[in-house]
Amino acid sequence: MNQKYFPLDKEALEEITQQFPTPFYIYDEKAIIENVRRIKAAFSSFPSYKNHFAVKALPNPYILKIFAAEGFGADCSSLPELLLAEAAGIKGEDIMLTSNETPTAEYIAAKKMGAVINLDDITHIDFLEKNVGLPELISFRYNPGPLKEGNAIIGKPEEAKYGFTREHLIKGYALLKEKGVKRFALHTMVASNELSVPYHVETARMLFELAVEIHSKTGVRLEFINLGGGMGIPYKPDQAAIDYEALTAGIKKAYDEVIVPAGLAPIEIRTEWGRVVTGPYGWLVTRAVHKKEIYRNFIAVDACMADLMRPALYDAYHHITVPGKEEMPLSEVYDVVGSLCENNDKFAIQRQLPKIETTAEGGDDFVVIHDAGAHGRAMGFNYNGKLRCGELLLREDGSVVEIRRAETIEDYFATLDINGVKDFN
Ligand SMILES: *Cc1c(COP(=O)(O)O)cnc(C)c1O
């Protein structure tokens, strides 16, 4: 038994691959919308709650349009991401720019779009004022340093390059006030893929206490607090998903205990979740091509780490299933690999799986890599001349549309086109 949700059976996959050959990413629109609605329902005790979807997790405007329709915003970290959000119809303060070591052009674009600028350092107040002008609303990113533990992916806050120290934060708000800024917000992002509800509630409480301190020391009242991203997902089948209701009950309790008695309510609550919104509802669909039996047994699929690098980069677990063989015994142990010339090009290492038939042997097994709906294709690259695969959307009505085509040789050569000339002499 090897089960994890996947919306298509082998027959449906065979039909889809007539038109769109493997490998490809496929995202489940219905499941994403249902998840968004569960998140909104859980936060209903904060009436103006909004998630600014972290565009970097799944930077596709067809997906961002789903969020725009559901009232979610976007969190961007670069100029192209700002443009993607805009292209999807996300506007003004529904967009946050949470960047670091930010180039001037990004600040200019963000200000022009009316996006919320989330500053990463106290020196950026002057930088922004001189180069762009101060907007009416400014947010600061807080780095709690030794006051908060990070986790394995993101590291310790005191070693991280992001955000303001507590001291700088107080100074910064006072300075903004002096300069005539009228509206203020606070943000942090201290964890990545964290599944512990108490951890996230503690982060919220820390920010609420900080809001009280900021107010007492500077007179600044925050308009909203952005709790950041980093909500975990159960990559392993024996892990449990975040209980949204327990999470928001914990946040509400901290709010009622800290913000309300300080007379600072209402403060809006925002998040900028990426992974938990789309991660479990996207899959990398591949076909098993070769089988190699040497010191270990290898199954080679037609995608590689250029399509999904999380296993190689973070040693991350991604569950694998073989459609049509969900009920078969996990009788084999394979390393599931791609064709890139890097020994860590492995989607799974020593994984128990059903017996897989490759196309080289006359078989036709698909190998589906789960939880690839966030930080998946977006992290892909072209090393080894590998061309990244495209993306499909399984619509609510069951139809399948292409929302990004696979890369071509022409794409690979495109940046060698110098001023319209592609002549290597
Ligand atoms: C990456 C990132 C996010 C999203 O993180 P998830 O783990 O996908 O929720 C949000 N905010 C910032 C600043 C980020 O860097």
Side-chain angles (χ1 to χ4, degrees):
M1 289 282 288
N2 196 20
Q3 288 184 346
K4 212 171 201 265
Y5 173 66
F6 181 62
L8 301 161
D9 60 18
K10 188 171 185 189
E11 206 182 337
L13 275 182
E14 287 293 1
E15 203 180 309
I16 292 166
T17 51
Q18 303 277 313
Q19 196 180 353
F20 308 110
T22 57
F24 53 77
Y25 277 86
I26 190 161
Y27 309 108
D28 183 339
E29 181 178 41
K30 183 162 175 279
I32 291 173
I33 292 174
E34 283 171 3
N35 187 33
V36 166
R37 292 183 182 164
R38 279 198 302 276
I39 294 168
K40 288 196 293 191
F43 275 99
S44 59
S45 52
F46 297 101
S48 40
Y49 166 75
K50 194 180 284 285
N51 182 58
H52 298 262
F53 179 75
V55 173
K56 72 167 193 247
L58 181 43
N60 189 309
Y62 294 92
I63 301 288
L64 299 179
K65 275 170 80 172
I66 300 174
F67 300 133
E70 290 292 319
F72 272 16
D75 173 55
C76 304
S77 57
S78 65
L79 181 56
E81 286 187 0
L82 287 169
L83 299 176
L84 280 179
E86 199 173 41
I90 301 174
K91 292 197 180 73
E93 290 180 4
D94 280 355
I95 302 178
M96 276 199 68
L97 175 70
T98 297
S99 52
N100 67 93
E101 316 311 340
T102 312
T104 312
E106 281 176 22
Y107 280 143
I108 292 174
K111 181 150 183 278
K112 216 161 136 192
M113 291 163 68
V116 178
I117 294 179
N118 189 21
L119 293 184
D120 192 60
D121 187 55
I122 193 163
T123 60
H124 284 224
I125 297 172
D126 268 352
F127 184 84
L128 187 65
E129 188 176 30
K130 286 205 185 90
N131 294 293
V132 192
L134 293 177
E136 176 186 304
L137 165 64
I138 293 191
S139 174
F140 288 159
R141 176 173 185 163
Y142 173 49
N143 179 335
L147 295 179
K148 183 90 192 166
E149 272 179 46
N151 66 6
I153 293 186
I154 209 162
K156 290 185 185 161
E158 71 260 42
E159 292 171 6
K161 66 172 176 168
Y162 310 112
F164 286 58
T165 64
R166 208 170 181 96
E167 199 191 348
H168 283 173
L169 209 64
I170 303 290
K171 269 193 197 155
Y173 285 115
L175 185 62
L176 286 187
K177 206 176 146 196
E178 220 177 275
K179 290 179 184 290
V181 169
K182 293 276 178 291
R183 299 166 59 208
F184 307 89
L186 172 66
H187 162 271
T188 201
M189 164 89 190
V190 285
S192 185
N193 192 33
E194 178 58 59
L195 275 168
S196 157
V197 166
Y199 182 94
H200 291 294
V201 171
E202 244 174 62
T203 303
R205 184 178 288 271
M206 171 187 79
L207 292 175
F208 296 161
E209 284 167 355
L210 183 55
V212 175
E213 184 183 337
I214 290 163
H215 180 249
S216 72
K217 291 191 171 154
T218 68
V220 161
R221 278 174 169 273
L222 298 176
E223 187 169 316
F224 71 81
I225 293 176
N226 183 334
L227 306 175
M231 207 52 57
I233 58 170
Y235 283 99
K236 294 188 174 157
D238 60 353
Q239 290 175 315
I242 284 272
D243 179 342
Y244 295 144
E245 303 291 338
L247 174 76
T248 54
I251 295 172
K252 185 70 168 64
K253 183 164 178 284
Y255 183 92
D256 289 343
E257 286 171 2
V258 181
I259 296 294
V260 174
L264 295 181
I267 296 181
E268 291 176 23
I269 300 300
R270 312 277 182 92
T271 54
E272 50 188 30
W273 296 353
R275 185 188 318 270
V276 76
V277 182
T278 55
Y281 314 111
W283 300 263
L284 175 56
V285 177
T286 73
R287 187 86 85 162
V289 182
H290 294 288
K291 182 178 284 173
K292 178 164 180 173
E293 297 174 333
I294 48 171
Y295 307 104
R296 282 183 180 187
N297 293 342
F298 295 93
I299 294 292
V301 297
D302 53 7
C304 70
M305 67 185 275
D307 297 298
L308 176 68
M309 84 177 299
R310 294 191 73 260
L313 186 62
Y314 306 122
D315 204 12
Y317 179 96
H318 279 265
H319 198 63
I320 287 179
T321 54
V322 182
K325 295 189 171 175
E326 291 86 352
E327 307 296 328
M328 278 180 56
L330 308 179
S331 57
E332 314 298 309
V333 175
Y334 297 122
D335 280 14
V336 178
V337 302
S339 58
L340 199 128
C341 302
E342 273 290 340
N343 204 29
N344 57 354
D345 179 20
K346 295 184 178 184
F347 293 116
I349 296 170
Q350 296 294 282
R351 185 75 58 87
Q352 281 191 283
L353 289 166
K355 189 168 172 41
I356 293 174
E357 258 92 26
T358 64
T359 51
E361 304 165 295
D364 61 358
D365 276 332
F366 292 103
V367 171
V368 173
I369 302 168
H370 290 248
D371 300 302
H375 310 291
R377 189 188 179 288
M379 287 173 92
F381 56 94
N382 286 128
Y383 183 54
N384 243 223
K386 293 298 179 188
L387 304 175
R388 279 166 289 187
C389 70
E391 298 174 297
L392 307 178
L393 181 63
L394 175 62
R395 289 273 189 207
E396 270 191 298
D397 65 7
S399 62
V400 173
V401 289
E402 190 169 40
I403 57 171
R404 188 190 297 276
R405 63 166 173 78
E407 288 177 341
T408 62
I409 305 269
E410 289 71 37
D411 294 330
Y412 190 77
F413 274 74
T415 47
L416 297 167
D417 186 336
I418 311 294
N419 300 323
V421 183
K422 207 185 298 178
D423 165 356
F424 309 120
N425 293 312

